[in-house]
Amino acid sequence: AIDVWKGLIRDGGCCCVYDPEVSTDQIMRDMSTPKFEWDRPNYSRSATRFLENVKVAASADDAIDGAHAICVLTEWDEFKTYDYAAMYSKMQKPAFVFDGRNILDHAKMRDIGFIVYSLGKPLDPFLQKAY
């Protein structure tokens, strides 16, 4: 998840992070740590430009307000039970879902209106380039 967040920020994005099992302090510490250093327990936190583009949300609902995309990067069961139709209504359009754990019902997400990307799954037909 850390590498995905950092990649999005390097590409000019802002990330609003929600993880029900990780503290805000730990998220900020991980985001401020250079690659391959974040898993070392004694690494001291340092400020970087990444932190300017990271917000930690108290809930998934808070995280998606006005967002362009939802990235599911952990396998917490609660992510399977959200009201994604309600979330979709609060997002910018087109709205995207990146399911990095293949835990969501992709057909249902498409029916709601999301453009869905998932690891190991084919792209939606309108996104595929004909060669």
Side-chain angles (χ1 to χ4, degrees):
I2 295 165
D3 287 336
V4 171
W5 297 334
K6 287 185 176 185
L8 290 168
I9 291 168
R10 275 189 208 101
D11 288 344
C14 295
C15 292
C16 188
V17 178
Y18 170 67
D19 189 321
E21 300 296 325
V22 180
S23 70
T24 297
D25 186 58
Q26 185 63 49
I27 290 169
M28 298 307 266
R29 180 175 182 262
D30 291 347
M31 288 300 294
S32 67
T33 306
K35 188 173 178 127
F36 303 119
E37 294 291 325
W38 57 265
D39 61 348
R40 296 182 184 173
N42 294 326
Y43 187 84
S44 63
R45 181 176 172 181
S46 64
T48 69
R49 70 178 182 85
F50 285 109
L51 298 182
E52 297 170 4
N53 294 312
V54 177
K55 175 183 160 193
V56 179
S59 70
D61 196 51
D62 290 344
I64 56 86
D65 194 26
H68 293 274
I70 296 171
C71 297
V72 178
L73 303 172
T74 59
E75 298 175 22
W76 306 126
D77 285 338
E78 73 178 69
F79 294 153
K80 299 175 191 175
T81 64
Y82 291 148
D83 182 350
Y84 284 99
M87 289 180 164
Y88 180 82
S89 70
K90 295 179 179 182
M91 295 175 67
Q92 303 257 349
K93 307 301 182 290
F96 300 85
V97 168
F98 300 94
D99 184 0
R101 296 299 184 157
N102 289 314
I103 63 169
L104 303 177
D105 181 339
H106 300 152
K108 185 176 180 180
M109 300 301 278
R110 287 182 184 99
D111 288 346
I112 291 169
F114 285 104
I115 297 169
V116 179
Y117 291 87
S118 187
L119 292 179
K121 306 279 181 168
L123 291 172
D124 287 342
F126 76 94
L127 295 173
Q128 294 177 5
K129 193 173 187 179
Y131 290 99

